[in-house]
Amino acid sequence: MKITCLFFGQLAEVTGRSSQKLTGTTDTDELKKRVQQQYPALEKLTFSIAVNKKMIQQNTTLQPEDEVALLPPFSGG
Amino acid sequence: MNTENRYQRQLQLTGFGKEAQDKLANAKILMIGAGGLGCPALQYLAGAGIGTLGIVDFDTVTITNLHRQTLFATADIGKPKVEVAAKRLKALNPEISIITYPTQLTNQNALDIIKDYDLVIDGSDNFSTRYLVNDACVLLNKPLIYGAVMRFEGQVGVFNLESNNLKTNYRDLFPTPPDAVSAPSCNEVGVLGVLPGIIGTWQASEAIKIITGIGTPLVNKILTLNLLNNTVYEFQLAKNNQLQKEMPKDKNDFLSFNYDWFCNKNLQNIITVEAFDKLRKAEKCSIIDVRETDETPIISEFETQQLPLSCFRESITEINFNTTVVLLCQSGQRSLKALELLKKQQPSLKVFSLEGGITEWKKQIKSEHYEQSQT
């Protein structure tokens, strides 16, 4: 099961990429844990999560080919 | 002057016409911040004939603003932003009214300022103002057009407007503010000048759509734009019921909500009494008392320089500080304001604000003496 994870803003800077394919992740909590393990700097950052372009508030089950976006807030104006 | 000619190019649009133009003329829009987002948004809103534009900004024009803040010229450096903006906008369209608020938006004045407007556009540059504006708009039930930028990426969205029985706001998108370290400001990491130009213009476009009722505004949505690879995403927001607990429930709650604390603003620059005593013994630092000259207690235990907050902005230009500067006041609030001013003018300095101010310092010194006399 392949999931695409998109990184926005500072998250892309920290991971050095704007997207990444992940296999074997069944829900968003697990996905979060996986990317934070791979990029420990992500643990300090605040971000919201969207699954297939819908913002989610709690752990969400993932289906094959789902697209998960990690979205940090920006303050600049 | 012939008004119809001024607006002729939009009047001739299908679905626009005189009715839409009248709606614009009767609309009152408040712009928070006359910066990177505010300048382009205001320019297009003035051009479109928004009847009343309010502008809130306490800042003055600096040279680093000019690469993106399109209402200002080099000759305007040092002038209040709202003053220059109002003059430029008035020259662009003398038919509209412009109301300026040369003040910092706080929870004490926000409700009074916002209540007179139909719609608010957020072009602020820090999280505490963003949460404050959001909460004020929720309490007053005003639509809020959000925009934010960082480096090459921008976000825009419409909050607090109901659609399909759903009404979301900034806290639904980002329930918890990040700390200052994890979400740096444009001052620290930079921004491509055209980016706020695009996002601010986009905000103006959403405002015009909402006022006139044309098209589909970004209600309950957040749109992201990445200029480097031209990617645009639109995300659907959902109501976050958990956040209701954290939001001010009414006006009194709002007036006592500490937004700076909530957003951990300048947390890394706040120094405790203990750390301060260590620091001033270890290195030569400038210790600045920002209280007014008649305030007590007088500090005789260590050397301070008095630069009252009331004239702080002017006085710091003439002074050579040591690399490390500690600011203090009575309770640690005013020194935080001074910290922002000093960091802005002299970003190379290491600046701290003494937590709890001289009151806390005296208190701890007293208890230390007490402990020593007991042992």
Side-chain angles (χ1 to χ4, degrees), chain B residues 57-70:
Chain B
D57 203 312
F58 69 98
D59 225 343
T60 51
V61 179
T62 65
I63 195 159
T64 57
N65 296 151
L66 300 179
H67 92 302
R68 67 192 185 285
Q69 302 186 14
T70 49

Side-chain angles (χ1 to χ4, degrees), chain A residues 28-76:
Chain A
T28 49
D29 276 0
E30 201 187 317
L31 179 138
K32 198 172 157 181
K33 217 186 284 165
R34 282 266 302 272
V35 291
Q36 282 176 338
Q37 260 165 13
Q38 195 179 349
Y39 311 101
L42 285 182
E43 271 178 54
K44 288 197 199 112
L45 301 179
T46 304
F47 54 86
S48 293
I49 301 177
V51 177
N52 299 328
K53 300 194 177 131
K54 287 194 173 84
M55 304 305 300
I56 55 152
Q57 318 287 359
Q58 53 214 10
N59 189 23
T60 300
T61 310
L62 295 172
Q63 307 297 329
E65 307 304 317
D66 274 356
E67 188 181 64
V68 179
L70 309 185
L71 214 65
F74 300 154
S75 69

Side-chain angles (χ1 to χ4, degrees), chain B residues 141 143-144 157-169 172 206 210 215-222 234-239:
Chain B
N141 199 21
L144 171 65
V158 175
F159 297 138
N160 214 32
L161 201 64
E162 196 174 311
S163 168
N164 298 324
N165 293 321
L166 179 67
K167 189 151 90 171
T168 52
N169 64 65
D172 291 307
E206 290 301 295
I210 291 167
T216 314
L218 285 163
V219 181
N220 298 321
K221 282 190 178 131
I222 182 94
E234 235 180 84
F235 297 98
Q236 173 70 41
L237 302 190
K239 199 76 205 150

Side-chain angles (χ1 to χ4, degrees), chain B residues 281-319:
Chain B
K281 281 166 194 162
E283 64 173 294
K284 198 166 161 46
C285 46
S286 304
I287 304 170
I288 312 294
D289 183 354
V290 303
R291 295 176 303 165
E292 299 307 308
T293 46
D294 56 352
E295 284 181 72
T296 55
I298 290 164
I299 302 163
S300 52
E301 293 87 345
F302 49 85
E303 202 179 315
T304 63
Q305 189 173 2
Q306 281 211 308
L307 294 176
L309 188 64
S310 57
C311 49
F312 191 76
R313 195 196 292 257
E314 297 77 42
S315 43
I316 53 178
T317 52
E318 293 152 20
I319 288 166

Side-chain angles (χ1 to χ4, degrees), chain A residues 74-75, chain B residues 32 104-107 122 124-136 170-171 177-178 254 257-266 340:
Chain A
F74 300 154
S75 69
Chain B
I32 311 287
Q104 180 145 28
L105 197 74
T106 67
N107 57 343
D122 182 7
S124 62
D125 63 357
N126 62 83
F127 287 111
S128 44
T129 307
R130 289 187 180 281
Y131 280 93
L132 188 155
V133 170
N134 177 73
D135 294 355
Y170 188 56
R171 286 183 187 252
F254 178 77
F257 197 94
N258 189 332
Y259 283 90
D260 283 349
W261 177 82
F262 179 65
C263 295
N264 303 310
K265 208 176 166 190
N266 290 323
E340 275 192 26

